[in-house]
Amino acid sequence: MKRIESQLNTGSAEFRANVAHNRAIADDLKARQQAARHERPQRDIDRLRAQKKLLVRERIALLLDPGTPFLELSTLAAGEAYDGSVPGAGCVIGIGIVAGREVVINAGDASVKGGAWYPLTIKKTVRALDIAIENRLPVVHLCDSAGGFLPLQADFFADKYAAGRIFRNQCALSKMGVPQVAVVLGHCTAGGAYVPALSDYSVIVRGTGAIFLAGPPLVKAATGEEVTVDALGGADMHTSVSGTADYPAASEEEAIAIARDIVGNFAKAEKTKVQWQTPEPPLHDAEELYGVLPRDIKQGFDMREIIARIVDGSRFHEYQPAYGKTLICGYAHLWGYRIGILANNGVLFNDSALKGAHFIELCNRDRTPLLFLQNITGFMVGREYEQRGITKDGAKMIMAMSNATVPKLTVMCHGSFGAGNYGMSGRAFDSRFLFSWPQSQTAVMGAEQAANVLVDIKIRQLARTAQKLAPEDIAAIREPVLDEYKRKSSAYWSTSEIWDDGILDPADTRNALAMALSAALNAPIEEARYGVFRM
Amino acid sequence: MKNSLSHDTSAWPFKAVLVANRGEIAVRVLRTVQALGLKGIVVFHAADRGTLAVQMADQAIEITGSTPVAAYLDAEQILKAARDSGAGAIHPGYGFLSENAGFACAVAAAGLVFIGPLPEQIELMGDKVRARNFVERAGFPVAPSAIEDDDPTSFNDRARAVGTPLLIKPSAGGGGKGMRIVRDLALLDSEIERARSEGQRYFGDGRLYVERYIENPRHIEVQVLGDGYGSVVHVFERECSVQRRFQKIVEETPSPALTPELRARICETAAGIARSAAYRNAGTVEFIFAQSGEFFFLEMNTRLQVEHPVTEAITGKDLVFEQLRVAAGEPLGYTQADLQTSGHAIELRIYAEDAARGYTPTTGPLLQLRAPEGEGLRWDSGVIEGGEVTAAFDPMIAKLIVHGTDRSEALARADHALRDTVLLGCKTNIGFLRRLITHPAFIAGDVHTGFLDANPQIAAEPDPAPSTLQALLAAASLSTKTMRDGADAIPDLHAALGAWRN
Amino acid sequence: MHHAFEFADNEHGVELSRTPAGYRLHLDETHTIDVRVLAEIDGRITLNIDGRKVDAIIATRGDEVFIHLDGEAYQLRYRHPLERLAAQHQGGAADGIRAPMPGSVITVAVAAGDSVSRGQTLLMMESMKMETTLVAPRDGIVAAVNFAAGQSFDRDALLLSLEPVTA
């Protein structure tokens, strides 16, 4: 496989300007992540310390095998919601190594509103369990939650993907034979009580851990019974009387050590075999990605320069290099794993869509995982293209992509607009993992374009009432519409809403994708079968 | 050690020798017995079944006892074993029955040869007071003393005659209580009164005993050989001053404390004492040696000594062979002038013990045992890899004997050999021995019997250097299955990513 | 730190992870050392520790690790995380009276259930002809007596235990 010949002029003013711009964006991302992870009101920290509790990230550090990576997902979930008062949506999820096994970690963060469940907490938790189901990964739940956030109960209680889905997913995992262990490090009240109860194994800390459907105050209100937390749902009661929990522990450290021992007893699943070769670092430095990405969302760039900074040895076997050139297709290796890459180099035409559909079928037949690198403004529009069947050719690509059974990974590299988002395995198409770069944008159409449409509608409404608008009136209408649109097409909005699995610093992409791919290979690849392709 | 000794034993009254001992000394004796072409028989308790002596003996006979030690003290069983196996002689080694006159008599009564002195010689030297009086009467130096009970009225005068410094001890005492050192005779009377009242208070008995106090004494002993026909030679001295819990740890010859004149004097004194008793067998005359150069008779051991190999190293004499010869009735056949020494030899006793914890004994399996090899080295041991050190016996595992052209070469060889000695599974004093022999005072030969008590830092285990600690933790972690398996379980990709975070 | 070794009366927390070329020793949260195993045969191990070549001879028995390194013999004892953490919270050493050296029991002065006060004789033992009296390290109630007169034991054997102190 030959190396991609980089055309990048790293000495150019353009390159340097891009680096400055994108590095600042990456730094801003790190600062936001740092804040979401660690900045808490002192009184919340003090309260946990007084209870002799560890912070959630200290717990995770104890849980993970030392010297192993942790791929944290959706760090900035709820970042744009609830006035930013629920960092990380009040929980930490990710993929790490425990006792040599890849596991999903689902940990409540009691330093955020006592670990209360907000609607996005539940969405993030459900996503963690979906990841476990899709990739057959064991789950370690670190439970410490005050229960649901009552003022928003209507938004998290009853819907199909609301709180009940957590328990439904736990049952599904158990049925699939994917083990779960819950470590009860705080209270698990009401619905939360089912998390340990539905886990195959549960450990509970004496003194601080408790499981009950209703806490002492609610019990008193309901029946008049006065009972202590320990007697109602403490470690000794549940491990020796009710059998709701399995192992008592005297400390968080011991509880986590027991959980590690339990995970160490899980059968090690045989991973799906795919083509693999000894890994090789990329020839081109990942840091140069900052200089590849343009400063303007509308400006194009060669996706090969991105590929060259992600894949092994910067080597790429390009498929149909001369046909449908706006969609780059080809093979590469990522940390040794052979993958098929589809990357946008412009708007999708008929030939690019057909090429994409064909390439996806090739990869799917050969059990080659797919990586979609999105920078797409959509499929080509206009009479000529409709006549050539751009819609049905796009449908072929969507059909092939949608039904592909090999693991799919997606990275929102820059723009993701219109049906192109779908054709390139957007969130709705069950990519095993979907990550965004911090400057990327996702929307049904570009911001300027959308703002013009919205302003036009407004002007026509006003015209009916015979109002004549001065240019400054139009600008006054246009600006807020544009700002709101931009906010909601930003990566930070996407990730806040959990449309992705987290924002990545571009330089981290290679490692994150490798961990995602490795995790994905815990699930078998099913036989390839498609629906009907419109010919 | 030579593998064969060309000596005509056809006239000897025995063709088979039973070793009534265990461990390294049983091995040591068997080596010479077998090298002479004689049959070597050993008795053993079940606790010693897997030991080297049992493996190498031509015949091994199991004996039993309420404790393992009791078995080796059971004369009846041992004599029966000797009769059953056709042994013509019994070698008692050291310890156990080696200085038991009754046993020596019983052996003779059974028509067997006791490889040792005559019973009456054992009896004479076995009683300290009797031995002391014998030596004094023969005109050899004993430490001046005065016993109040002998004549209470003259006690103070006799005490004064002992000379300073002197030590006043309660007759009924023990453990150092009521003891007083007197350096100025003007204070003698008042100190006697004080000691008397302390004795009364501690023991309800005010009677006293006075002896010359020897400050920082050295322990020097002389190997002697006698044939029972009046021929006695000395085989030079051994210095055994470094002791812990009243047991020797390091012995060497020649003594670094002696001038040629003093050496000749102390060796001749020892030979004279043995000669006075018409001694037969190898024996050791022990002296207490003052820093002033004065020395006094302490006791005489009528057996082979643990530390005999250093003497063998510098003289080329096989002392077990000499014991066998004279017991068989041969005359010594050489004179003092025929004995020459060459170089310097040091014995280091390797004990299963924890020097840093007051030299308390340790036990454990010998998981790895590699004796050092090299020029001038001798390794006397009764244990083998896979064996076990138990609390049943003395905790000595082995003796390392080094021989060099001079003391500094011997010391250098000792340090190398100790470093190369691998003994894992049971804590030993090897590290302690290395600290001891590299101590400046020891290198200077400036030691005394209280040396280790005065220098407790030698026993203390030094904190390992950080790099050593790291190496230990690395080696231990990699050898601990739980940890190694845990690390090996990390998938390749994640091992390569290390502690990466996004 | 999950794992630990007892060595010279200290406990050293330690972790072992893997690198593409070998292993990594974690001495604390921030201090790691790369270790490669160059050879390993018959208890002899040759390591490259942070670029330094180290030869050692190793023997293990149960959790005891014996190491001959640079002419010195060392003994370490592995502490499994579960054992260590469980001990930390159940009263620890003060509850267990362990043998200071190998030996045998001469007499046992107390029985399970007895109240004892600090300094009270619990047991007389003998080792290498030395008698040692073991006394209660604190006031408490005897939970168990594990050896009877005449029985022998190894060093660190749990001879007696006291009921844990409840807060």
Side-chain angles (χ1 to χ4, degrees):
Chain A
M1 228 179 257
K2 81 176 176 55
R3 297 192 202 272
I4 292 171
E5 252 178 75
S6 179
Q7 305 297 320
L8 204 59
N9 178 2
T10 54
S12 70
E14 179 71 8
F15 178 86
R16 286 202 302 274
N18 285 350
V19 168
H21 177 82
N22 288 306
R23 204 184 282 284
I25 288 173
D27 290 345
D28 176 52
L29 167 67
K30 300 277 177 194
R32 289 181 192 229
Q33 287 177 333
Q34 172 73 15
R37 285 169 178 159
H38 301 293
E39 280 178 21
R40 299 287 182 273
Q42 191 57 42
R43 64 176 197 301
D44 288 333
I45 306 277
D46 293 344
R47 176 173 47 81
L48 293 178
R49 294 297 186 212
Q51 293 171 354
K52 294 207 172 84
K53 283 184 176 181
L54 297 172
L55 301 179
V56 64
R57 281 163 205 285
E58 294 167 339
R59 291 169 175 169
I60 291 171
L62 277 177
L63 177 64
L64 294 169
D65 286 358
T68 61
F70 179 57
L71 175 62
E72 185 176 338
L73 303 173
S74 297
T75 309
L76 298 176
E80 302 287 312
Y82 322 122
D83 298 324
S85 66
V86 189
C91 61
V92 181
I93 67 168
I95 293 171
I97 304 296
V98 175
R101 286 142 179 91
E102 292 172 283
V103 300
V104 166
I105 292 171
N106 166 38
D109 185 350
S111 70
V112 177
K113 311 277 183 192
W117 287 1
Y118 281 69
L120 284 170
T121 316
I122 284 158
K123 190 172 182 183
K124 187 169 165 181
T125 306
V126 169
R127 173 61 190 150
L129 296 176
D130 278 344
I131 289 170
I133 290 171
E134 289 167 11
N135 303 290
R136 297 202 178 216
L137 293 173
V139 184
V140 180
H141 303 274
L142 301 179
C143 309
D144 192 352
S145 168
F149 181 65
L150 275 180
L152 294 178
Q153 69 83 22
D155 296 329
F156 69 68
F157 178 60
D159 200 4
K160 181 170 164 84
Y161 292 103
R165 195 74 181 182
I166 295 172
F167 315 124
R168 176 267 183 198
N169 277 356
Q170 284 192 274
C171 297
L173 278 168
S174 190
K175 178 177 155 186
M176 288 165 67
V178 178
Q180 299 168 71
V181 53
V183 189
V184 181
L185 303 154
H187 288 188
C188 289
T189 316
Y194 290 108
V195 173
L198 290 168
S199 293
D200 299 326
Y201 302 89
S202 62
V203 188
I204 179 166
V205 178
R206 188 173 290 123
T208 45
I211 305 170
F212 29 55
L213 288 184
L218 205 62
V219 168
K220 184 159 190 328
T223 66
E225 185 185 6
E226 287 198 38
V227 61
T228 65
V229 166
D230 261 356
L232 187 62
D236 290 316
M237 196 289 283
H238 276 313
T239 55
S240 66
V241 179
S242 77
T244 304
D246 304 318
Y247 307 83
S251 65
E252 293 204 7
E253 288 86 350
E254 189 185 4
I256 290 168
I258 293 170
R260 285 177 51 78
D261 211 44
I262 291 166
V263 175
N265 278 295
F266 291 168
K268 254 194 161 175
E270 193 72 17
K271 287 180 83 160
T272 294
K273 290 264 188 303
V274 294
Q275 279 210 51
W276 187 89
Q277 66 183 36
T278 305
E280 181 188 9
L283 176 68
H284 298 293
D285 190 350
E287 296 278 312
E288 289 171 1
L289 287 169
Y290 301 128
V292 176
L293 293 171
R295 305 188 293 287
D296 184 346
I297 193 75
K298 295 193 294 287
Q299 196 184 329
F301 60 96
D302 189 350
M303 267 291 192
R304 289 180 193 84
E305 300 290 354
I306 302 291
I307 296 168
R309 284 158 184 85
I310 290 178
V311 302
D312 287 10
S314 303
R315 296 174 199 278
F316 187 57
H317 172 99
E318 190 168 344
Y319 173 73
Q320 290 190 341
Y323 182 75
K325 288 159 97 168
T326 57
L327 182 68
I328 301 165
C329 296
Y331 302 113
H333 287 86
L334 184 103
W335 273 101
Y337 296 111
R338 194 172 98 115
I339 55 170
I341 298 175
L342 292 91
N344 303 115
N345 242 17
V347 71
L348 287 162
F349 292 98
N350 297 71
D351 52 0
S352 358
L354 289 171
K355 174 182 171 182
H358 188 82
F359 184 68
I360 290 166
E361 284 193 72
L362 282 175
C363 290
N364 203 34
R365 188 197 64 190
D366 298 341
R367 300 164 65 84
T368 304
L370 288 165
L371 171 61
F372 294 87
L373 298 176
Q374 287 206 13
N375 178 25
I376 181 66
T377 50
F379 287 91
M380 192 62 202
V381 295
R383 188 167 124 185
E384 183 192 342
Y385 298 98
E386 295 293 357
Q387 283 186 349
R388 286 199 209 159
I390 185 71
T391 307
K392 79 173 185 179
D393 286 346
K396 288 189 187 86
M397 184 175 170
I398 292 171
M399 180 67 78
M401 175 278 300
S402 194
N403 287 318
T405 52
V406 291
K408 293 178 288 180
L409 304 173
T410 304
V411 180
M412 300 303 195
C413 294
H414 207 52
S416 176
F417 299 110
N421 170 288
Y422 299 162
M424 290 294 287
S425 198
R427 189 61 157 177
F429 294 87
D430 293 331
S431 281
R432 299 288 182 88
F433 294 90
L434 186 151
F435 299 107
S436 306
W437 284 356
Q439 88 301 349
S440 69
Q441 295 180 15
T442 301
V444 72
M445 62 181 82
E448 303 281 344
Q449 201 186 346
N452 290 342
V453 172
L454 291 168
V455 170
D456 276 354
I457 293 166
K458 194 91 179 175
I459 290 169
R460 260 181 269 136
Q461 281 171 351
L462 294 171
R464 263 183 244 131
T465 54
Q467 287 184 22
K468 186 90 173 136
L469 291 170
E472 57 269 29
D473 295 331
I474 292 169
I477 293 167
R478 197 174 181 277
E479 283 312 311
V481 170
L482 191 62
D483 286 349
E484 175 72 356
Y485 195 93
K486 275 184 175 165
R487 186 164 91 90
K488 291 194 171 172
S489 32
S490 78
Y492 290 107
W493 183 268
S494 282
T495 209
S496 173
E497 291 295 311
I498 317 178
W499 296 345
D500 63 19
D501 295 311
I503 300 181
L504 291 177
D505 177 340
D508 282 335
T509 305
R510 174 177 161 82
N511 288 354
L513 289 176
M515 280 196 68
L517 194 50
S518 174
L521 294 174
N522 283 281
I525 297 173
E526 281 162 32
E527 203 62 39
R529 254 184 80 228
Y530 303 93
V532 178
F533 288 95
R534 181 171 293 278
M535 291 309 205
Chain B
M1 293 290 295
K2 281 170 286 192
N3 286 326
S4 71
L5 283 164
S6 53
H7 187 84
D8 182 7
T9 59
S10 57
W12 288 12
F14 49 85
K15 299 283 172 256
V17 178
L18 181 138
V19 183
N21 215 303
R22 59 173 301 283
E24 69 89 15
I25 197 60
V27 172
R28 164 69 191 92
V29 173
L30 285 172
R31 279 213 176 107
T32 293
V33 167
Q34 291 178 333
L36 286 164
L38 304 176
K39 181 183 177 188
I41 303 153
V42 74
V43 290
F44 71 97
H45 179 266
D48 281 330
R49 190 182 305 282
T51 60
L52 187 55
V54 174
Q55 283 184 11
M56 70 183 284
D58 298 303
Q59 189 179 352
I61 299 168
E62 185 169 345
I63 51 176
T64 59
S66 58
T67 65
V69 168
Y72 291 101
L73 290 170
D74 188 338
E76 285 297 318
Q77 278 195 81
I78 290 165
L79 286 168
K80 181 175 184 305
R83 279 192 301 273
D84 292 352
S85 60
I90 294 180
H91 193 301
Y94 52 67
F96 296 128
L97 295 167
S98 63
E99 289 173 292
N100 183 320
F103 179 67
C105 286
V107 171
L112 304 172
V113 175
F114 180 71
I115 313 291
L118 303 173
E120 54 270 30
Q121 294 170 337
I122 298 176
E123 218 154 319
L124 169 66
M125 292 301 172
D127 182 310
K128 287 197 179 184
V129 176
R130 203 182 308 159
R132 185 183 182 280
N133 292 340
F134 171 81
V135 169
E136 192 172 21
R137 273 199 306 278
F140 297 105
V142 295
S145 66
I147 301 166
E148 183 168 22
D149 274 357
D150 288 350
D151 177 14
T153 56
S154 66
F155 178 59
N156 285 29
D157 290 339
R158 286 186 290 122
R160 204 173 305 276
V162 165
T164 54
L166 61 78
L167 186 66
I168 311 171
K169 295 200 261 188
S171 292
K177 285 200 173 90
M179 299 217 299
R180 309 195 73 83
I181 297 167
V182 179
R183 298 177 196 281
D184 179 356
L185 286 178
L187 299 172
L188 179 67
D189 293 340
S190 63
E191 288 296 306
I192 284 177
E193 282 322 301
R194 254 182 228 156
R196 195 186 307 288
S197 73
E198 278 178 23
Q200 269 301 346
R201 201 160 64 241
Y202 287 121
F203 311 107
D205 183 344
R207 292 172 306 143
L208 298 173
Y209 170 89
V210 162
E211 64 180 17
R212 173 70 68 79
Y213 176 67
I214 297 168
E215 223 149 350
N216 295 339
R218 302 177 79 114
H219 176 113
I220 297 176
E221 63 186 26
V222 177
Q223 178 72 53
V224 295
L225 272 174
D227 60 9
Y229 304 115
S231 202
V232 170
V233 294
H234 70 78
V235 199
F236 308 98
E237 84 286 7
R238 293 185 290 257
E239 158 113 35
C240 317
S241 294
V242 181
Q243 304 187 354
R244 55 105 186 88
R245 303 203 312 179
F246 308 109
Q247 268 188 319
K248 301 162 189 170
I249 305 181
V250 177
E251 303 97 338
E252 61 183 302
T253 183
S255 162
L258 298 181
T259 59
E261 297 73 30
L262 260 176
R263 188 181 194 206
R265 216 161 78 216
I266 200 167
C267 289
E268 273 313 318
T269 301
I273 290 168
R275 211 169 280 126
S276 307
Y279 189 69
R280 184 191 83 177
N281 188 32
T284 298
V285 183
E286 299 190 338
F287 296 97
I288 184 163
F289 185 91
Q291 301 287 342
S292 62
E294 279 182 295
F295 59 87
F296 306 106
F297 172 81
L298 206 56
E299 63 177 346
M300 179 170 179
N301 295 322
T302 56
R303 53 165 163 87
L304 191 65
Q305 208 80 343
V306 175
E307 57 273 23
H308 75 275
V310 291
T311 301
E312 295 185 327
I314 64 159
T315 59
K317 283 272 167 228
D318 179 332
L319 292 175
V320 173
F321 172 55
E322 299 300 323
Q323 283 188 295
L324 291 165
R325 274 180 59 224
V326 297
E330 290 191 19
L332 271 186
Y334 48 81
T335 65
Q336 191 65 54
D338 296 324
L339 292 172
Q340 299 295 327
T341 69
S342 144
H344 196 100
I346 303 172
E347 174 181 278
L348 301 128
R349 297 197 194 183
I350 295 171
Y351 280 107
E353 68 182 19
D354 191 342
R357 291 195 189 192
Y359 306 96
T360 49
T362 57
T363 56
L366 297 167
L367 302 171
Q368 291 264 6
L369 172 59
R370 291 172 207 198
E373 286 167 6
E375 202 188 337
L377 298 191
R378 172 172 163 184
W379 176 262
D380 275 20
S381 176
V383 297
I384 47 175
E385 188 171 285
E388 179 125 13
V389 177
T390 68
F393 301 107
D394 181 271
M396 194 171 78
I397 297 172
K399 306 184 306 200
L400 172 66
I401 302 99
V402 291
H403 185 205
T405 54
D406 55 22
R407 190 167 186 266
S408 70
E409 187 183 70
L411 280 175
R413 283 184 176 164
D415 190 48
H416 265 90
L418 287 171
R419 200 192 58 203
D420 291 346
T421 304
V422 178
L423 226 156
L424 297 179
C426 175
K427 175 138 190 80
T428 73
N429 65 338
I430 293 175
F432 158 78
L433 288 172
R434 291 189 67 198
R435 293 194 292 279
L436 170 64
I437 64 169
T438 52
H439 190 277
F442 185 89
I443 289 171
D446 183 15
V447 293
H448 53 87
T449 55
F451 178 69
L452 289 177
D453 288 334
N455 294 280
Q457 78 285 357
I458 299 173
E461 211 124 307
D463 285 335
S467 63
T468 303
L469 182 61
Q470 286 173 9
L472 290 175
L473 291 172
S477 297
L478 287 164
S479 306
T480 298
K481 187 168 161 49
T482 310
M483 293 186 71
R484 184 83 173 257
D485 287 353
D488 287 342
I490 298 168
D492 288 339
L493 170 71
H494 304 91
L497 289 174
W500 175 83
R501 296 288 185 273
N502 61 312
Chain C
M1 296 286 132
H2 300 123
H3 304 278
F5 286 95
E6 277 173 12
F7 171 58
D9 299 327
N10 288 314
E11 190 170 277
H12 300 270
V14 68
E15 299 281 10
L16 191 67
S17 67
R18 201 157 74 85
T19 67
Y23 294 93
R24 183 166 290 149
L25 188 70
H26 301 244
L27 295 168
D28 55 45
E29 305 302 330
T30 54
H31 191 186
T32 64
I33 312 170
D34 281 0
V35 181
R36 277 187 301 139
V37 180
L38 302 177
E40 203 173 13
I41 185 163
D42 277 348
R44 271 185 194 276
I45 191 166
T46 305
L47 303 175
N48 179 315
I49 300 176
D50 229 2
R52 184 165 56 96
K53 194 170 162 235
V54 171
D55 281 296
I57 300 171
I58 300 176
T60 58
R61 187 174 72 150
D63 288 335
E64 307 280 353
V65 185
F66 304 91
I67 302 173
H68 184 91
L69 175 73
D70 287 337
E72 300 281 342
Y74 301 92
Q75 181 174 353
L76 293 84
R77 186 189 179 83
Y78 173 67
R79 294 295 310 273
H80 191 277
L82 292 179
E83 175 204 350
R84 193 167 53 83
L85 290 165
Q88 265 177 20
H89 295 276
Q90 284 163 18
D95 291 342
I97 289 94
R98 290 179 183 276
M101 60 192 90
S104 60
V105 178
I106 302 171
T107 53
V108 182
V110 293
D114 287 0
S115 279
V116 293
S117 52
R118 190 183 156 166
Q120 185 180 333
T121 296
L122 300 176
L123 176 148
M124 291 269 287
M125 57 166 282
E126 187 207 51
S127 175
M128 294 307 297
K129 302 180 195 92
M130 284 196 309
E131 289 184 5
T132 305
T133 303
L134 298 181
V135 300
R138 60 170 171 79
D139 295 352
I141 293 163
V142 177
V145 177
N146 300 324
F147 290 84
Q151 284 189 293
S152 60
F153 45 77
D154 282 336
R155 185 167 122 190
D156 294 330
L158 184 63
L159 302 176
L160 289 103
S161 52
L162 300 179
E163 299 278 3
V165 182
T166 46

